[in-house]
Amino acid sequence: MVISRHITGAIRSRRYIVEAILGLIYVVIPWLSWAGKPLMRLDIPERKFHLLGNVFIPQEGIYLHLFLLSAGLSLFFFTSLIGRVWCGFACPQTVFTDFFDVIGRFILGNKYGKKDANPYGKVLLHAVWILFSLFAAFHIVAYFNDPHEMLSRVIHFDFKEVIFPYFWIFFSGALYVDMTLVREQFCKYACPYARFQTVMMDADSYNVTYDFKRGEPRRNKKEKIGDCTACNMCLVVCPTGIDIRDGLNVGCIACGKCIDACTVQMGKENKKSLINYDSMNRVEKNQKIKWIRPRTVIYATLLTTVLTTAIVLLSNRVPIYASVIPDRNLEPMIIPGQKVRNFYNLNLRNMTYEDRELKIDIAEMEKIKPIIHTGTDNSTVKIPANGSAQLRVFVESENLPKKDKPSQTVQINMNIEDINNSKYKINKTLPMRLPDDPTIQ
């Protein structure tokens, strides 16, 4: 495990601000509510995802696919433009590493990370790290459970008939082990993003870059050749223990600590830092950065397409789910009056926080005028807020002579509409079988 030396500077200060904001968002969101409902929560037992006053269910998987596509394309697009900014400023691995380091320096001071640190201080440090891991893991689980109920159970030590403590302990242990044993090893050997970053970046990507034309060859003892003084501070402060002077490396997370360190060292000689956010083409060929280039245009086009699709679908989304399938236990039957009856199982779900009264009817067709029977008055169904209803319905229609039937099965349209809000309306197409009736000529 690498514990890098602390360094102050402009980039370090910006990262602290970003990480503080992200940490605050991470801790606060599970406690917030929208109209009395969770602002964001993935309720796995109920198979519901609460987000900004909306409820999404597994049958709406298209939105999950679009979200993942947007996240992936955003990663590709911004990496091609400005390198591994995600790794350096927003990745949970980086953010939690900095949080743990802040705690370590607060308790052990400049002895943090050194073998001669006070053993009692080390014990205290690990105790605080464990408490912080419990705190952080509590909020991970809070995205899946009610944090108020969890906190009440923790305070009263009441864990009967709940399973969240197992996940809480698991995530706490995982975070503690990660931050005390793994750390940079995950970035260098396990993170998939580090593996394919070179595919997304090119010589015009704005990334942490060493100006080897100025720096090399490095100073050898008192013999001054290039601007690099071989102080190795860029290596000492690196959280992953790599040497940026060796060029682009999968271990570089673009945190910018080496930039701050080099800025301090070069400042002593009244020179600009040898390490900066820059592009290889500008360092090697003194060319301006080409922000608009084939890969950035392709990524931007794909990202815009996916985001536009998501926005259109969400803006036209009706928070009512309906599933209609023929009842396999009851075959279509011919009934007196030269009529035919088909049976269906109707599953309705109200994905809002208000009670809904839905009216169900069947659209008329040429020669066929089906009528639906739901067993309720006026074919209406009341569904409570965030609730569901399962009905067995049947559709009746006058049968037709065999010569007038387009086929044995016709497609009919079922309309489901909120009687109090016409915007909440969906249409379902379902098959209706018309068995031959020998009494009809």
Side-chain angles (χ1 to χ4, degrees):
M1 182 182 74
V2 174
I3 296 181
S4 60
R5 184 180 299 183
H6 180 56
I7 188 72
T8 59
I11 297 177
R12 174 68 273 184
S13 298
R14 293 171 197 157
R15 288 182 60 225
Y16 274 146
I17 294 173
V18 173
E19 290 171 350
I21 294 173
L22 292 176
L24 184 63
I25 293 173
Y26 165 74
V27 171
V28 170
I29 282 182
W31 300 92
L32 298 180
S33 60
W34 184 299
K37 302 297 180 180
L39 181 69
M40 179 188 294
R41 183 179 302 160
L42 180 58
D43 191 340
I44 294 179
E46 294 293 329
R47 295 175 177 81
K48 296 175 183 176
F49 178 48
H50 302 264
L51 179 65
L52 301 176
N54 296 287
V55 180
F56 296 88
I57 59 176
Q59 288 80 358
E60 296 181 294
I62 180 64
Y63 299 109
L64 175 61
H65 297 157
L66 291 173
F67 169 76
L68 294 177
L69 280 174
S70 300
L73 290 171
S74 296
L75 197 65
F76 298 166
F77 175 66
F78 288 109
T79 299
S80 65
L81 280 181
I82 52 180
R84 295 177 65 177
V85 63
W86 162 261
C87 294
F89 285 80
C91 176
Q93 183 78 6
T94 302
V95 174
F96 277 115
T97 296
D98 285 341
F99 286 164
F100 273 68
D101 284 346
V102 168
I103 296 172
R105 286 191 295 271
F106 178 78
I107 295 177
L108 296 180
N110 58 8
K111 293 294 183 179
Y112 173 60
K114 297 181 179 179
K115 295 181 179 180
D116 61 343
N118 188 307
Y120 295 105
K122 289 183 178 180
V123 173
L124 176 61
L125 173 61
H126 281 269
V128 175
W129 274 351
I130 291 173
L131 291 176
F132 183 79
S133 298
L134 289 168
F135 172 79
F138 178 90
H139 288 86
I140 293 176
V141 182
Y143 281 89
F144 303 87
N145 290 271
D146 183 355
H148 301 88
E149 180 186 355
M150 288 170 55
L151 182 60
S152 175
R153 287 183 175 275
V154 171
I155 293 174
H156 297 94
F157 209 73
D158 178 17
F159 301 127
K160 295 180 179 179
E161 299 180 354
V162 291
I163 62 173
F164 81 83
Y166 301 104
F167 292 95
W168 183 25
I169 293 172
F170 170 78
F171 286 118
S172 299
L175 180 59
Y176 175 74
V177 171
D178 183 21
M179 292 294 105
T180 56
L181 296 177
V182 182
R183 287 209 181 191
E184 80 288 344
Q185 305 302 319
F186 178 84
C187 301
K188 295 170 68 174
Y189 303 113
C191 178
Y193 180 38
R195 306 273 76 79
F196 57 76
Q197 63 156 337
T198 52
V199 177
M200 296 180 289
M201 296 170 59
D202 56 25
D204 280 305
S205 296
Y206 192 70
N207 196 38
V208 176
T209 308
Y210 170 64
D211 190 347
F212 65 91
K213 295 178 69 176
R214 280 180 51 208
E216 300 297 326
R218 303 170 195 173
R219 182 175 300 181
N220 183 15
K221 296 183 179 180
K222 293 184 178 181
E223 182 182 359
K224 185 176 180 180
I225 307 174
D227 284 350
C228 180
T229 62
C231 66
N232 291 330
M233 280 299 297
C234 55
L235 177 60
V236 172
V237 301
C238 180
T240 59
I242 61 107
D243 192 339
I244 190 62
R245 295 170 296 183
D246 293 337
L248 183 64
N249 192 303
V250 294
C252 177
I253 61 173
C255 64
K257 292 182 71 175
C258 55
I259 298 177
D260 287 334
C262 193
T263 300
V264 172
Q265 296 302 313
M266 287 292 100
K268 297 175 181 179
E269 301 191 10
N270 296 320
K271 295 181 180 180
K272 293 183 179 180
S273 173
L274 294 169
I275 309 172
N276 282 294
Y277 282 107
D278 212 333
S279 72
M280 288 304 301
N281 273 344
R282 187 146 68 174
V283 171
E284 294 179 356
K285 305 175 184 178
N286 199 28
Q287 294 180 351
K288 290 184 178 180
I289 298 177
K290 297 178 181 178
W291 299 104
I292 301 176
R293 50 192 193 274
R295 72 174 60 207
T296 58
V297 172
I298 292 173
Y299 290 150
T301 302
L302 292 174
L303 178 59
T304 302
T305 302
V306 172
L307 288 176
T308 302
T309 303
I311 292 172
V312 171
L313 289 178
L314 285 171
S315 61
N316 293 295
R317 174 179 178 262
V318 177
I320 297 174
Y321 172 77
S323 171
V324 190
I325 58 175
D327 192 330
R328 300 187 181 279
N329 295 320
L330 291 172
E331 290 289 327
M333 62 177 63
I334 298 172
I335 60 176
Q338 298 183 337
K339 293 183 178 182
V340 63
R341 178 179 293 175
N342 281 237
F343 299 86
Y344 303 89
N345 290 317
L346 174 61
N347 181 17
L348 296 172
R349 182 170 292 186
N350 177 11
M351 296 180 290
T352 68
Y353 298 126
E354 299 177 357
D355 295 343
R356 299 286 172 192
E357 186 172 2
L358 306 178
K359 180 174 177 58
I360 305 170
D361 60 25
I362 302 293
E364 293 185 0
M365 301 171 59
E366 184 180 0
K367 297 183 180 180
I368 300 177
K369 297 181 180 180
I371 301 174
I372 189 169
H373 298 268
T374 65
T376 59
D377 295 336
N378 301 319
S379 295
T380 60
V381 180
K382 293 182 179 180
I383 306 179
N386 201 13
S388 60
Q390 290 77 37
L391 304 171
R392 172 175 283 177
V393 301
F394 62 88
V395 178
E396 285 185 1
S397 174
E398 293 184 1
N399 209 341
L400 297 175
K402 185 176 182 179
K403 60 184 178 62
D404 293 335
K405 294 178 183 178
S407 67
Q408 289 292 110
T409 303
V410 296
Q411 301 296 321
I412 59 176
N413 293 318
M414 175 182 288
N415 300 313
I416 303 172
E417 181 179 355
D418 187 340
I419 63 175
N420 299 314
N421 190 339
S422 59
K423 294 189 301 183
Y424 287 24
K425 180 179 180 179
I426 57 176
N427 178 274
K428 304 293 292 187
T429 301
L430 54 148
M432 182 175 184
R433 290 176 57 188
L434 301 175
D436 293 335
D437 186 350
T439 64
I440 301 178
Q441 301 297 325

